Amino acid sequence: MRFKLILSVNKEVFGNLLPINYQYEQSATIYKILSRASKEYSEWLHKNGYQIEGGKKFKLFTFSPLKIEKRKILTDSERIAILCDKVEWQISFFPEKSTEKFIQSLLNNQIFEIGDKKSVVQFHIQHIELLPPPLITESMTFNTMSPICIRQKRENGTTEYLSPDDPRSKVAILSGLLSRYESFYGRPYHKSVDFRFVPFGNIKKKLVTIKTGTASQTRVVGYKCKFNMQAPVELMQIAYESGVGEECAQGFGCIKNIVE
């Protein structure tokens, strides 16, 4: 399920400056909102997520960047000055439980902040809209709302970030979708899979800094593009609602369908 939030910017409280890299802070805000609805569930989601037995853990949600119609990039201070009074934010969940907890919390807690140690912006939720899902079929065309992250370890132990047009990306994306299916349903996907992932148009590379200015600061490479994808409906649903690629709960891989 996907929600569109219309947020008013309370500039008089802390100001109007966001850090350029604010994905981690968005993710932290979602956890805080969940914890207000159910502290126990939020802690479980944060520590465990959905997990393949003995394997990787998954947190089955993703989100878009803030849609800021009027803004100014302050390069020297690495800030975004919000010049409009309202912004839009889309948040998408695959598991029903987290969706229920999330919306329950939003109804009871309508003010939150996003920012870092240098600057914070307070937002007030003015409107929440449950977006109607697209018709999920076995062949769809998408555009990235946030960059797709796909990475592999090199033989020397360093990390390589793959472009969507790298042939290895198709294998990695399918593997991720199958793993998320297994983690949620508790069993491997048992049908044969005819999978296709074909990016087209301009592929834009984006460097995103996570936990800026802390000892845990890391830099992640993602790519924005349009792409055609063919997959079973069950896997297509997971891709649309919880993202494509890795680090989706950190705001990577959020996609929207393109009607051709």
Side-chain angles (χ1 to χ4, degrees):
M1 302 179 99
R2 184 168 296 194
F3 300 93
K4 180 171 74 172
L5 281 61
I6 303 300
L7 312 174
S8 64
V9 186
N10 295 340
K11 301 175 185 177
E12 66 279 2
V13 180
F14 300 114
N16 68 331
L17 298 181
L18 274 179
I20 285 180
N21 294 283
Y22 59 86
Q23 284 183 212
Y24 173 77
E25 287 74 18
Q26 283 181 292
S27 182
T29 294
I30 293 174
Y31 283 119
K32 287 178 183 177
I33 291 173
L34 281 169
S35 69
R36 291 171 184 167
S38 171
K39 183 177 180 181
E40 295 78 13
Y41 179 71
S42 179
E43 289 176 352
W44 176 85
L45 180 67
H46 183 70
K47 294 177 181 177
N48 299 287
Y50 292 89
Q51 182 174 2
I52 298 173
E53 186 174 352
K56 187 174 181 180
K57 301 171 185 176
F58 297 88
K59 303 177 179 80
L60 302 182
F61 67 86
T62 188
F63 52 88
S64 73
L66 298 177
K67 184 178 180 182
I68 307 171
E69 294 290 352
K70 293 181 65 178
R71 62 181 184 174
K72 182 178 181 180
I73 304 299
L74 308 176
T75 307
D76 293 342
S77 58
E78 297 185 334
R79 305 287 108 180
I80 300 171
I82 301 177
L83 304 179
C84 48
D85 295 325
K86 296 180 182 180
V87 301
E88 177 185 313
W89 189 15
Q90 291 191 22
I91 309 176
S92 183
F93 287 91
F94 181 66
E96 293 295 322
K97 182 177 180 181
S98 63
T99 301
E100 293 171 2
K101 297 293 184 182
F102 179 71
I103 197 67
Q104 174 189 347
S105 179
L106 283 180
L107 292 174
N108 295 322
N109 299 275
Q110 298 191 20
I111 295 176
F112 61 88
E113 292 82 38
I114 295 178
D116 58 14
K117 294 180 179 179
K118 292 183 179 180
S119 62
V120 175
V121 177
Q122 186 179 95
F123 298 98
H124 175 225
I125 301 171
Q126 285 201 331
H127 178 71
I128 307 168
E129 179 183 352
L130 176 61
L131 295 176
L135 176 64
I136 302 295
T137 64
E138 293 185 345
S139 181
M140 300 183 71
T141 302
F142 296 103
N143 194 4
T144 52
M145 299 182 74
S146 61
I148 295 174
C149 172
I150 308 167
R151 57 190 173 192
Q152 289 190 357
K153 286 289 186 182
R154 300 186 180 94
E155 292 184 1
N156 62 5
T158 59
T159 299
E160 179 181 9
Y161 290 93
L162 305 181
S163 171
D165 58 359
D166 187 308
R168 294 171 293 173
S169 291
K170 172 185 173 181
V171 177
I173 290 171
L174 175 58
S175 176
L177 293 175
L178 291 172
S179 294
R180 275 185 264 170
Y181 179 94
E182 183 177 350
S183 73
F184 184 74
Y185 290 105
R187 62 182 186 275
Y189 189 77
H190 61 281
K191 302 176 184 177
S192 61
V193 178
D194 184 10
F195 185 75
R196 183 170 61 94
F197 180 85
V198 182
F200 63 91
N202 293 329
I203 298 177
K204 299 179 180 179
K205 182 177 180 180
K206 184 173 183 180
L207 178 65
V208 178
T209 305
I210 304 295
K211 297 185 180 180
T212 305
T214 71
S216 303
Q217 176 175 304
T218 57
R219 288 183 170 86
V220 179
V221 176
Y223 292 86
K224 300 193 73 174
C225 66
K226 297 178 181 178
F227 61 92
N228 299 116
M229 191 162 78
Q230 180 175 311
V233 169
E234 300 95 326
L235 299 184
M236 196 74 81
Q237 187 83 30
I238 291 174
Y240 175 74
E241 292 194 343
S242 69
V244 171
E246 301 178 52
E247 301 291 347
C248 295
Q250 293 293 336
F252 289 89
C254 186
I255 60 176
K256 61 180 179 181
N257 68 302
I258 301 173
V259 179
E260 295 184 310

